[in-house]
PDB file of all heavy atoms in Angstrom:
ATOM      1  N   ALA A  33      -6.677  28.501   2.848  1.00 97.00           N
ATOM      2  CA  ALA A  33      -7.504  27.403   3.333  1.00 97.00           C
ATOM      3  C   ALA A  33      -8.944  27.873   3.566  1.00 97.00           C
ATOM      4  O   ALA A  33      -9.903  27.151   3.260  1.00 97.00           O
ATOM      5  CB  ALA A  33      -6.918  26.828   4.620  1.00 97.00           C
ATOM      6  N   GLU A  34      -9.102  29.081   4.072  1.00 97.00           N
ATOM      7  CA  GLU A  34     -10.438  29.646   4.277  1.00 97.00           C
ATOM      8  C   GLU A  34     -11.144  29.839   2.937  1.00 97.00           C
ATOM      9  O   GLU A  34     -12.348  29.559   2.810  1.00 97.00           O
ATOM     10  CB  GLU A  34     -10.337  30.986   5.013  1.00 97.00           C
ATOM     11  CG  GLU A  34     -11.666  31.686   5.181  1.00 97.00           C
ATOM     12  CD  GLU A  34     -11.535  33.121   5.676  1.00 97.00           C
ATOM     13  OE1 GLU A  34     -10.411  33.626   5.844  1.00 97.00           O
ATOM     14  OE2 GLU A  34     -12.596  33.747   5.876  1.00 97.00           O
ATOM     15  N   ILE A  35     -10.409  30.293   1.945  1.00 98.00           N
ATOM     16  CA  ILE A  35     -10.986  30.511   0.614  1.00 98.00           C
ATOM     17  C   ILE A  35     -11.467  29.182   0.033  1.00 98.00           C
ATOM     18  O   ILE A  35     -12.572  29.088  -0.506  1.00 98.00           O
ATOM     19  CB  ILE A  35      -9.964  31.203  -0.317  1.00 98.00           C
ATOM     20  CG1 ILE A  35      -9.733  32.644   0.153  1.00 98.00           C
ATOM     21  CG2 ILE A  35     -10.423  31.160  -1.763  1.00 98.00           C
ATOM     22  CD1 ILE A  35      -8.514  33.322  -0.469  1.00 98.00           C
ATOM     23  N   VAL A  36     -10.658  28.147   0.155  1.00 98.00           N
ATOM     24  CA  VAL A  36     -11.037  26.834  -0.374  1.00 98.00           C
ATOM     25  C   VAL A  36     -12.245  26.276   0.375  1.00 98.00           C
ATOM     26  O   VAL A  36     -13.173  25.749  -0.240  1.00 98.00           O
ATOM     27  CB  VAL A  36      -9.847  25.851  -0.324  1.00 98.00           C
ATOM     28  CG1 VAL A  36     -10.277  24.443  -0.712  1.00 98.00           C
ATOM     29  CG2 VAL A  36      -8.718  26.330  -1.233  1.00 98.00           C
ATOM     30  N   ALA A  37     -12.269  26.400   1.682  1.00 98.00           N
ATOM     31  CA  ALA A  37     -13.412  25.916   2.467  1.00 98.00           C
ATOM     32  C   ALA A  37     -14.689  26.666   2.078  1.00 98.00           C
ATOM     33  O   ALA A  37     -15.766  26.068   1.961  1.00 98.00           O
ATOM     34  CB  ALA A  37     -13.125  26.075   3.958  1.00 98.00           C
ATOM     35  N   THR A  38     -14.568  27.961   1.850  1.00 98.00           N
ATOM     36  CA  THR A  38     -15.728  28.758   1.446  1.00 98.00           C
ATOM     37  C   THR A  38     -16.166  28.372   0.038  1.00 98.00           C
ATOM     38  O   THR A  38     -17.369  28.259  -0.238  1.00 98.00           O
ATOM     39  CB  THR A  38     -15.395  30.259   1.526  1.00 98.00           C
ATOM     40  OG1 THR A  38     -14.995  30.563   2.875  1.00 98.00           O
ATOM     41  CG2 THR A  38     -16.580  31.116   1.139  1.00 98.00           C
ATOM     42  N   ALA A  39     -15.211  28.156  -0.849  1.00 98.00           N
ATOM     43  CA  ALA A  39     -15.533  27.720  -2.215  1.00 98.00           C
ATOM     44  C   ALA A  39     -16.295  26.399  -2.177  1.00 98.00           C
ATOM     45  O   ALA A  39     -17.270  26.203  -2.913  1.00 98.00           O
ATOM     46  CB  ALA A  39     -14.261  27.583  -3.042  1.00 98.00           C
ATOM     47  N   ARG A  40     -15.878  25.518  -1.306  1.00 98.00           N
ATOM     48  CA  ARG A  40     -16.557  24.221  -1.192  1.00 98.00           C
ATOM     49  C   ARG A  40     -17.997  24.399  -0.709  1.00 98.00           C
ATOM     50  O   ARG A  40     -18.914  23.750  -1.220  1.00 98.00           O
ATOM     51  CB  ARG A  40     -15.779  23.313  -0.258  1.00 98.00           C
ATOM     52  CG  ARG A  40     -16.370  21.927  -0.170  1.00 98.00           C
ATOM     53  CD  ARG A  40     -15.450  21.011   0.573  1.00 98.00           C
ATOM     54  NE  ARG A  40     -16.042  19.699   0.720  1.00 98.00           N
ATOM     55  CZ  ARG A  40     -15.367  18.635   1.085  1.00 98.00           C
ATOM     56  NH1 ARG A  40     -14.075  18.733   1.348  1.00 98.00           N
ATOM     57  NH2 ARG A  40     -15.967  17.477   1.200  1.00 98.00           N
ATOM     58  N   ARG A  41     -18.198  25.263   0.270  1.00 98.00           N
ATOM     59  CA  ARG A  41     -19.566  25.505   0.758  1.00 98.00           C
ATOM     60  C   ARG A  41     -20.453  26.076  -0.353  1.00 98.00           C
ATOM     61  O   ARG A  41     -21.594  25.664  -0.518  1.00 98.00           O
ATOM     62  CB  ARG A  41     -19.547  26.440   1.964  1.00 98.00           C
ATOM     63  CG  ARG A  41     -19.134  25.745   3.259  1.00 98.00           C
ATOM     64  CD  ARG A  41     -19.399  26.601   4.479  1.00 98.00           C
ATOM     65  NE  ARG A  41     -18.665  27.850   4.485  1.00 98.00           N
ATOM     66  CZ  ARG A  41     -17.407  27.994   4.915  1.00 98.00           C
ATOM     67  NH1 ARG A  41     -16.731  26.957   5.370  1.00 98.00           N
ATOM     68  NH2 ARG A  41     -16.816  29.169   4.893  1.00 98.00           N
ATOM     69  N   ILE A  42     -19.907  27.014  -1.113  1.00 98.00           N
ATOM     70  CA  ILE A  42     -20.682  27.597  -2.221  1.00 98.00           C
ATOM     71  C   ILE A  42     -20.996  26.526  -3.247  1.00 98.00           C
ATOM     72  O   ILE A  42     -22.138  26.393  -3.705  1.00 98.00           O
ATOM     73  CB  ILE A  42     -19.913  28.774  -2.873  1.00 98.00           C
ATOM     74  CG1 ILE A  42     -19.813  29.953  -1.907  1.00 98.00           C
ATOM     75  CG2 ILE A  42     -20.589  29.191  -4.188  1.00 98.00           C
ATOM     76  CD1 ILE A  42     -18.850  31.047  -2.357  1.00 98.00           C
ATOM     77  N   LEU A  43     -19.991  25.749  -3.625  1.00 98.00           N
ATOM     78  CA  LEU A  43     -20.165  24.691  -4.623  1.00 98.00           C
ATOM     79  C   LEU A  43     -21.249  23.714  -4.182  1.00 98.00           C
ATOM     80  O   LEU A  43     -22.160  23.402  -4.946  1.00 98.00           O
ATOM     81  CB  LEU A  43     -18.842  23.955  -4.836  1.00 98.00           C
ATOM     82  CG  LEU A  43     -18.884  22.750  -5.772  1.00 98.00           C
ATOM     83  CD1 LEU A  43     -19.125  23.206  -7.203  1.00 98.00           C
ATOM     84  CD2 LEU A  43     -17.578  21.957  -5.675  1.00 98.00           C
ATOM     85  N   GLU A  44     -21.158  23.237  -2.954  1.00 97.00           N
ATOM     86  CA  GLU A  44     -22.120  22.232  -2.490  1.00 97.00           C
ATOM     87  C   GLU A  44     -23.510  22.814  -2.263  1.00 97.00           C
ATOM     88  O   GLU A  44     -24.503  22.161  -2.545  1.00 97.00           O
ATOM     89  CB  GLU A  44     -21.620  21.544  -1.219  1.00 97.00           C
ATOM     90  CG  GLU A  44     -20.572  20.497  -1.484  1.00 97.00           C
ATOM     91  CD  GLU A  44     -20.991  19.417  -2.485  1.00 97.00           C
ATOM     92  OE1 GLU A  44     -22.200  19.154  -2.699  1.00 97.00           O
ATOM     93  OE2 GLU A  44     -20.083  18.823  -3.086  1.00 97.00           O
ATOM     94  N   HIS A  45     -23.582  24.018  -1.754  1.00 96.00           N
ATOM     95  CA  HIS A  45     -24.892  24.596  -1.434  1.00 96.00           C
ATOM     96  C   HIS A  45     -25.617  25.141  -2.659  1.00 96.00           C
ATOM     97  O   HIS A  45     -26.827  24.956  -2.816  1.00 96.00           O
ATOM     98  CB  HIS A  45     -24.743  25.693  -0.381  1.00 96.00           C
ATOM     99  CG  HIS A  45     -26.042  26.183   0.139  1.00 96.00           C
ATOM    100  ND1 HIS A  45     -26.663  27.307  -0.352  1.00 96.00           N
ATOM    101  CD2 HIS A  45     -26.860  25.686   1.102  1.00 96.00           C
ATOM    102  CE1 HIS A  45     -27.804  27.494   0.277  1.00 96.00           C
ATOM    103  NE2 HIS A  45     -27.947  26.531   1.165  1.00 96.00           N
ATOM    104  N   ASP A  46     -24.872  25.809  -3.536  1.00 96.00           N
ATOM    105  CA  ASP A  46     -25.512  26.514  -4.643  1.00 96.00           C
ATOM    106  C   ASP A  46     -25.142  26.015  -6.028  1.00 96.00           C
ATOM    107  O   ASP A  46     -25.652  26.516  -7.022  1.00 96.00           O
ATOM    108  CB  ASP A  46     -25.198  28.011  -4.542  1.00 96.00           C
ATOM    109  CG  ASP A  46     -25.742  28.615  -3.261  1.00 96.00           C
ATOM    110  OD1 ASP A  46     -26.853  28.231  -2.848  1.00 96.00           O
ATOM    111  OD2 ASP A  46     -25.046  29.455  -2.662  1.00 96.00           O
ATOM    112  N   GLY A  47     -24.223  25.065  -6.107  1.00 94.00           N
ATOM    113  CA  GLY A  47     -23.874  24.468  -7.394  1.00 94.00           C
ATOM    114  C   GLY A  47     -22.691  25.141  -8.071  1.00 94.00           C
ATOM    115  O   GLY A  47     -22.246  26.215  -7.663  1.00 94.00           O
ATOM    116  N   PRO A  48     -22.193  24.501  -9.115  1.00 93.00           N
ATOM    117  CA  PRO A  48     -20.976  24.984  -9.772  1.00 93.00           C
ATOM    118  C   PRO A  48     -21.116  26.353 -10.444  1.00 93.00           C
ATOM    119  O   PRO A  48     -20.152  27.114 -10.490  1.00 93.00           O
ATOM    120  CB  PRO A  48     -20.663  23.894 -10.797  1.00 93.00           C
ATOM    121  CG  PRO A  48     -21.925  23.138 -10.974  1.00 93.00           C
ATOM    122  CD  PRO A  48     -22.698  23.278  -9.704  1.00 93.00           C
ATOM    123  N   ASP A  49     -22.289  26.661 -10.946  1.00 94.00           N
ATOM    124  CA  ASP A  49     -22.467  27.966 -11.594  1.00 94.00           C
ATOM    125  C   ASP A  49     -22.359  29.121 -10.600  1.00 94.00           C
ATOM    126  O   ASP A  49     -22.035  30.245 -10.977  1.00 94.00           O
ATOM    127  CB  ASP A  49     -23.810  28.035 -12.324  1.00 94.00           C
ATOM    128  CG  ASP A  49     -23.851  27.110 -13.534  1.00 94.00           C
ATOM    129  OD1 ASP A  49     -22.779  26.723 -14.039  1.00 94.00           O
ATOM    130  OD2 ASP A  49     -24.969  26.753 -13.958  1.00 94.00           O
ATOM    131  N   ALA A  50     -22.639  28.849  -9.337  1.00 96.00           N
ATOM    132  CA  ALA A  50     -22.570  29.887  -8.303  1.00 96.00           C
ATOM    133  C   ALA A  50     -21.139  30.166  -7.862  1.00 96.00           C
ATOM    134  O   ALA A  50     -20.874  31.211  -7.251  1.00 96.00           O
ATOM    135  CB  ALA A  50     -23.408  29.485  -7.095  1.00 96.00           C
ATOM    136  N   LEU A  51     -20.236  29.258  -8.170  1.00 96.00           N
ATOM    137  CA  LEU A  51     -18.853  29.428  -7.737  1.00 96.00           C
ATOM    138  C   LEU A  51     -18.114  30.339  -8.715  1.00 96.00           C
ATOM    139  O   LEU A  51     -17.540  29.894  -9.700  1.00 96.00           O
ATOM    140  CB  LEU A  51     -18.146  28.074  -7.612  1.00 96.00           C
ATOM    141  CG  LEU A  51     -16.722  28.125  -7.088  1.00 96.00           C
ATOM    142  CD1 LEU A  51     -16.647  28.808  -5.726  1.00 96.00           C
ATOM    143  CD2 LEU A  51     -16.135  26.719  -7.024  1.00 96.00           C
TER     144      LEU A  51
END
Side-chain angles (χ1 to χ4, degrees):
E34 176 191 3
I35 291 166
V36 173
T38 302
R40 184 171 177 166
R41 282 192 299 276
I42 292 169
L43 176 69
E44 282 305 337
H45 189 264
D46 298 321
D49 292 339
L51 183 57

